[in-house]
């Protein structure tokens, strides 16, 4: 069918329409946009293309295959849930930014060439930053600026990579590249920044916790998953990704344990989950890639659910630090329940969504002969249960009662969380619908007795460890503070170094300038002495004396001539 | 919402119940490991209670290392703002 529009067009046109109306009408229209988008997308068939010509290049605005369709379904679902969650928001900036942001993500996953990808890559950055700025605090403004600078840099590196690739090959097709040559490396790094590779990850932990309660739900769904999609498209089977992914699963869990801002805990835990996907892409087998993209699908929903529950807490209490919360299950029992479903899903409890997707990556890691990586992933699996599965619900809703009494979240937030929780349970109980959407045929059965038993052993004994540490007083208390991470380089070292440099340079500069001024003044004074009104060279002489001097010179000349 | 209403975990008895259930389930899972022959992909998996011990040790290590990291990495909340 050629009647279908590229999916991003539905959201962009919807944003235009939404901008023209107000209030309930706009809210209702926004909710309809992902529905209309889904109807439009269901008519798409694999193998379909839509192209436009630009100068010498043909731009593929729409490339439909199983991989792009999977992310297409996912982003429509995520956009619907997030819009429902944000239904009570009456802020034009946030509302329009969220629609354009979701549209840009769809544009990127259906892009068939690098120029189209680049355009949507940058649009993702400039539309999403408004979801942080919409908090309208100086702190959020500065965090947004840092976020935008890093995101746009990723785009610039991507552009440099694309130009180098056109120089090398003449091709702009967005397909398998493999990690050879300058162009490939530049594109790899650009993807890596958006994918939150180690040392390139702090835009995520810095920016996302500063977004609005509803904005962060949108943020958590799109940017990093577009990057995962891009890696799966261009670099499957790149061994380096196995180790990068394993590192990503490991280091954030330590930060998550000591972090106090519960949305920042979720941001760290997000890097940990992306690590599993990156690892799967690096392994590159059918099983591993299926695991990576199905885990991306599940992660968007359960991480969205967790960010929603924390957003609801922030919305109702104005607080998000673990040290200030506790006992909220008394006022917000439904939110607490949905949060626990999200926590069980991210922890990969049997019957919840994480269980049916993460394990494919782990099985593939052993199959491909990476036992050390497998042990790291297993460590991270226990760790994610610890910091996301237990810590988030425990410190927000249970622990010691902080004495906060508030109301349950608004109905639309509860409905959005309820639907997300239902998807988590559905995918966990009946994974075959999700498996049917995967790029490769699935030859994997998550529910065999050994898998259920071992996973339960891992999780229950992790919970036991938590209880023991908590009861024996070994568990570190929630404390307000900042934990130094790689961002220290550009938030502390570089500004400090620059300040120090100017501190040293300014006196030197001042002395040099003063010296120049003094020298200049002295020169001017010298010139003034000879050429000024009283100067020897500026005096007027009588004509007679000049004639005398000329006669003298001529006499001297004659004398020399005769001699 | 009344402030003085007693909730489920305000009774220490209920907290104890949760803990006792957890201990019971842990013991049961180890017991199953004793009698059930798991199929394994890698030799180390076949050690008795491998997953249980690994999960427990991993979490304890995670927390203890993170606690030490805090001494090294933790700064005041206005650390980046005090320029």
């Amino acid at each position: 069918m050629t009647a279908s529009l590229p999916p991003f067009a539905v959201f962009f046109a919807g944003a235009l329409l939404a901008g023209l109306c107000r209030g309930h009408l706009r809210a209702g229209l926004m909710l309809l946009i992902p529905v209309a988008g889904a109807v439009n997308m269901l008519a798409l068939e694999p193998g379909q293309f839509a192209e436009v010509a630009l100068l010498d290049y043909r731009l593929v605005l729409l490339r439909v295959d199983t991989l792009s369709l999977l992310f297409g379904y996912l982003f429509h679902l995520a956009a619907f849930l997030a819009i429902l969650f944000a239904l009570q928001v009456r802020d034009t900036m946030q509302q329009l930014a969220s629609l354009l942001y979701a549209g840009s993500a769809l544009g990127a996953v259906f892009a068939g060439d690098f120029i189209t990808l680049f355009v949507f890559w940058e649009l993702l950055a400039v539309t999403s930053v408004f979801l942080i700025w919409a908090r309208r605090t100086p702190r959020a403004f500065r965090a947004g600026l840092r976020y935008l600078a890093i995101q746009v840099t990723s785009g610039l590196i991507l552009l440099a990579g694309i130009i180098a690739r056109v120089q090398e090959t003449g091709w702009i097709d967005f397909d398998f590249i493999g990690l050879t040559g300058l162009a490939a490396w530049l594109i790899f790094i650009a993807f890596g920044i958006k994918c939150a590779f180690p040392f390139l990850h702090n835009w995520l932990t810095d920016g996302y916790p500063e977004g609005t309660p509803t904005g962060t739900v949108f943020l958590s769904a799109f940017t990093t998953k577009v990057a995962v999609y891009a890696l799966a498209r261009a670099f499957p089977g790149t061994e380096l990704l196995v180790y990068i992914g394993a590192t990503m699963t490991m280091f954030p869990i330590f930060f998550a344990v000591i972090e106090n801002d519960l949305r920042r805990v979720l941001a760290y835990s997000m890097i940990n989950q992306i690590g599993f996907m990156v690892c799967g892409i690096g392994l590159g087998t059918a099983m591993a890639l299926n695991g990576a993209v199905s885990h991306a699908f599940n992660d968007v929903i359960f991480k969205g659910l967790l960010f929603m529950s924390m957003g609801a807490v922030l919305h109702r209490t104005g607080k998000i630090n673990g040290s200030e919360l506790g006992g909220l299950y008394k006022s917000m029992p439904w939110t607490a329940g949905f949060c626990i479903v999200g926590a069980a899903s991210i922890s990969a409890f049997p019957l919840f969504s994480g269980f049916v997707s993460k394990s494919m990556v782990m099985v593939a890691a052993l199959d491909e002969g990476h036992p050390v990586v497998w042990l790291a992933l297993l460590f991270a699996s226990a760790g994610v249960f610890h910091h996301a599965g237990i810590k988030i619900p425990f410190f927000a809703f249970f622990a010691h009662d902080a004495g906060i009494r508030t109301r349950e979240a608004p109905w639309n937030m509860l409905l959005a969380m309820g639907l997300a929780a239902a998807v988590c349970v559905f995918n966990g109980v009946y994974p075959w619908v999700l498996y049917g959407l995967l790029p490769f045929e699935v030859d994997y059965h998550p529910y065999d007795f050994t898998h259920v038993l071992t996973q339960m052993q891992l999780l229950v004994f992790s919970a036991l460890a938590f209880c023991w540490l908590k009861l024996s007083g070994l568990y570190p208390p929630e404390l307000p503070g900042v934990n130094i991470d790689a961002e220290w380089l550009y938030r502390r070292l570089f500004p400090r170094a620059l300040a120090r440099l100017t501190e040293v340079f300014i006196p030197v500069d001042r002395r040099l300038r003063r010296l120049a001024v003094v020298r200049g003044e002295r020169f001017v004074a010298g010139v003034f002495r000879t050429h000024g009104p009283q100067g020897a060279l500026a005096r007027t002489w009588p004509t007679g004396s000049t004639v005398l001097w000329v006669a003298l010179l001529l006499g001297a000349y004659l004398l020399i001539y005769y001699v | 919402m009344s402030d003085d209403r007693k909730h489920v975990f305000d009774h220490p008895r209920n907290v104890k119940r949760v803990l006792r259930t957890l201990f019971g389930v842990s013991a049961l899972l180890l017991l199953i490991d004793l009698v059930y022959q798991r199929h394994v992909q890698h030799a180390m998996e076949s050690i008795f209670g491998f997953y249980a011990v690994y999960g427990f040790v991993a979490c304890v290590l995670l927390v203890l290392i993170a606690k030490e990291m805090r001494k090294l990495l933790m700064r005041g909340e206005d650390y980046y703002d005090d320029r």
Side-chain angles (χ1 to χ4, degrees), chain A residues 478-491:
Chain A
E478 290 293 293
L479 295 174
V482 165
N483 296 308
I484 293 176
D485 198 348
E487 66 189 340
W488 180 81
L489 286 176
Y490 60 83
R491 291 186 69 182

Side-chain angles (χ1 to χ4, degrees), chain A residues 330 367 375 474 477 482 492, chain B residues 41 54 67 70 75 79:
Chain A
K330 297 173 183 176
D367 276 346
L375 282 175
L474 280 171
V482 165
R492 184 85 173 188
Chain B
Q41 258 184 302
Y54 195 84
K67 228 173 129 176
R70 208 176 227 184
R75 298 291 186 275
Y79 178 68

Side-chain angles (χ1 to χ4, degrees), chain A residues 7-299:
Chain A
F8 75 86
V10 179
F11 279 76
F12 282 13
L16 199 67
L17 276 179
L20 296 175
C21 48
R22 298 244 162 278
H24 289 294
L25 185 61
R26 178 191 284 171
L29 180 70
M30 285 182 66
L31 210 49
L32 276 180
I33 291 166
V35 178
V39 170
N40 173 63
M41 198 182 57
L42 286 175
L44 296 177
E45 277 157 21
Q48 196 175 324
F49 289 90
E51 300 171 355
V52 292
L54 176 78
L55 304 176
D56 287 343
Y57 298 106
R58 51 178 198 97
L59 302 188
V60 184
L61 295 184
L62 180 66
R63 180 247 314 263
V64 185
D65 61 8
T66 47
L67 191 59
S68 55
L69 269 180
L70 174 77
F71 280 83
Y73 293 132
L74 172 62
F75 286 169
H76 279 86
L77 179 60
F80 179 79
L81 293 173
I83 289 170
L84 179 59
F85 184 76
L87 207 62
Q88 84 287 353
V89 171
R90 295 282 178 271
D91 172 9
T92 306
M93 177 158 108
Q94 270 191 79
Q95 289 173 310
L96 299 192
S98 58
L99 287 175
L100 293 172
Y101 177 44
S104 307
L106 285 165
V109 295
F110 283 102
D113 69 278
F114 275 117
I115 294 176
T116 310
L117 178 72
F118 166 74
V119 170
F120 287 113
W121 198 262
E122 291 289 43
L123 278 177
L124 276 172
V126 294
T127 52
S128 59
V129 72
F130 288 101
L131 297 171
I132 300 173
W133 282 342
R135 196 100 179 263
R136 296 185 170 87
T137 60
R139 188 185 160 90
F141 178 71
R142 287 198 301 271
L145 276 183
R146 289 191 293 271
Y147 169 87
L148 186 63
I150 295 173
Q151 294 292 310
V152 169
T153 305
S154 157
L156 289 179
I157 296 172
L158 177 63
L159 182 63
I162 295 168
I163 293 170
R165 184 160 172 81
V166 170
Q167 290 280 322
E168 281 173 18
T169 64
W171 289 93
I172 57 163
D173 299 29
F174 176 27
D175 274 311
F176 178 78
I177 301 177
L179 202 52
T180 45
L182 174 70
W185 272 97
L186 287 170
I187 293 171
F188 185 76
I189 290 168
F191 289 177
I193 291 175
K194 267 216 194 335
C195 209
F197 280 5
F199 298 106
L200 308 175
H201 65 279
N202 275 127
W203 62 266
L204 202 164
T205 57
D206 181 20
Y208 284 13
E210 301 303 335
T212 63
T214 53
T216 304
V217 177
F218 285 96
L219 290 172
S220 75
F222 298 115
T223 298
T224 51
K225 301 311 173 298
V226 168
V228 165
Y229 165 85
L231 279 178
R233 177 73 75 187
F235 299 101
T238 303
E239 200 187 347
L240 182 59
L241 285 176
V242 176
Y243 307 112
I244 291 177
T247 312
M248 286 171 73
T249 62
M250 286 288 279
F251 85 87
I253 58 180
F254 294 94
F255 282 95
V257 168
I258 51 175
E259 179 57 52
N260 188 28
D261 181 330
L262 294 182
R263 290 202 299 174
R264 188 160 287 125
V265 173
L266 288 179
Y268 274 112
S269 126
M270 191 162 177
I271 301 172
N272 152 282
Q273 294 299 302
I274 298 166
F276 284 96
M277 302 166 212
V278 170
C279 196
I281 294 167
L283 291 166
T285 61
M287 163 100 84
L289 286 171
N290 275 342
V293 295
S294 60
H295 200 52
F297 191 105
N298 287 334
D299 179 68

Side-chain angles (χ1 to χ4, degrees), chain A residues 15 48 89 108 165 172 201 218 221 237 276 312 328-329 355 427 450 456 475 486 503 517 529 543 559:
Chain A
Q48 196 175 324
V89 171
R165 184 160 172 81
I172 57 163
H201 65 279
F218 285 96
F276 284 96
L328 277 177
Y329 79 95
F355 182 73
N427 276 350
T450 295
M456 285 305 288
Y475 197 86
E503 238 167 65
V517 169
R529 213 176 302 126
T543 323
L559 211 69

